[in-house]
Amino acid sequence: MSLSFSPALPPIVARLRAAGCVFAEDEARLLASAARTPAELDDMVDRRARGLPLEHIVGWAEFCGLRVAVDPGVFVPRPRSEFLVRQAAALARPGAVVVDLCCGSGALGAALAAAAGPVELHAVDVDPAAVRCARRNLVATDGSVIKGGVYEGDLYAALPPALRGRVDVLLASPPYVPTGAIGLLPPEARVHEPQVALDGGADGLDIVRRVVEGADGWLAPGGHLLVETSEAQARRTADAVTRAGLAARLTYDEELDATTVIGTRPAG
């Protein structure tokens, strides 16, 4: 967008830095580029200084090279989840049937579809706001809806029954923060993102276990389940994958501090 005014960035940087924004210079430039008027810019800076997520203010997040719409109140995709997408893309052939559970804004599914070529993508979230946002994002570059669908509901219960036994790649970035640790999250997460997208129960693995336990009935022979979790929870997640009858392996990216547990259904 070309600005009709030239805002002075140093005062904006100072306001953001005083509010505790670590990347104040980058955020100041982004807010200035998104604002259409001085009044709008002042309001955006004020909202950011009060702790609103930057992505909710500008209306989008950059994820895997894509600009993904992120509506207010919807979980903001994290850079660490790009590792999950890369792992899934390495396993997804063109035309694969893909399911994205706990899809949030639809960022993971959109990025996987872009990386793996045409896929049949089905995305699910329990939060109506997230489902609305995902339906906006899961559109192909030519404007057509990506083959598949976006469903509102509780994990597998929301999927079309015809997908049973047909899913080639099932990816999930479920909530995995232990309930007792929610209060330790930055205010922009614990105040402005839905609790249902953060709270993973007493040990953080309530939803993870449900995802893992239900996967086998939906995966095709040789199909793969990929679950994002924390490094501390990875071994327990892998044990759950093994108990579910899948061959488990752990993958880790040090730069992103990202952990993915992959389970594969036997081909025979």
Side-chain angles (χ1 to χ4, degrees):
M1 177 181 297
S2 115
L3 294 174
S4 57
F5 64 102
S6 299
L9 292 183
I12 299 174
V13 172
R15 286 175 64 187
L16 295 175
R17 187 174 288 125
C21 298
V22 177
F23 303 105
E25 292 85 356
D26 294 337
E27 293 191 8
R29 285 191 290 270
L30 182 56
L31 291 171
S33 69
R36 292 165 294 186
T37 66
E40 184 178 39
L41 176 58
D42 188 63
D43 176 68
M44 294 169 79
V45 173
D46 181 64
R47 284 187 285 156
R48 181 60 182 139
R50 287 189 281 112
L52 272 74
L54 179 68
E55 295 82 1
H56 288 169
I57 296 169
V58 299
W60 59 272
E62 184 175 342
F63 186 78
C64 289
L66 304 177
R67 181 174 287 202
V68 177
V70 182
D71 296 334
V74 173
F75 182 80
V76 176
R78 307 312 200 238
R80 72 171 65 92
S81 296
E82 295 188 3
F83 179 62
L84 176 64
V85 172
R86 292 203 301 268
Q87 298 295 300
L91 298 170
R93 69 184 190 280
V97 177
V98 175
V99 167
D100 179 5
L101 292 180
C102 309
C103 70
S105 66
L108 276 67
L112 178 56
V119 297
E120 180 183 333
L121 175 64
H122 300 267
V124 176
D125 204 283
V126 72
D127 181 7
V131 170
R132 289 193 296 270
C133 189
R135 285 176 176 154
R136 291 171 54 206
N137 282 316
L138 295 179
V139 174
T141 53
D142 64 358
S144 63
V145 177
I146 290 175
K147 183 180 180 182
V150 183
Y151 315 99
E152 179 184 336
D154 185 18
L155 300 179
Y156 300 104
L159 289 173
L163 289 178
R164 283 187 174 275
R166 293 185 52 234
V167 179
D168 299 302
V169 175
L170 199 166
L171 69 158
S173 178
Y176 55 85
V177 179
T179 303
I182 296 291
L184 304 177
L185 295 174
E188 60 190 54
R190 70 172 187 268
V191 175
H192 300 287
E193 292 184 313
Q195 182 116 346
V196 70
L198 302 170
D199 192 343
D203 65 353
L205 294 176
D206 283 3
I207 310 302
V208 170
R209 278 189 286 267
R210 290 182 58 211
V211 168
V212 170
E213 289 165 1
D216 185 62
W218 294 88
L219 289 174
H224 306 282
L225 165 70
L226 299 95
V227 182
E228 179 180 305
T229 187
S230 71
E231 187 177 9
Q233 297 163 321
R235 177 48 57 191
R236 283 174 290 163
T237 302
D239 289 343
V241 168
T242 300
R243 287 195 299 272
L246 307 178
R249 63 185 175 96
L250 303 178
T251 58
Y252 178 71
D253 184 280
E254 184 175 2
E255 182 179 353
L256 292 173
D257 188 25
T259 302
T260 298
V261 177
I262 302 175
T264 302
R265 182 182 174 188

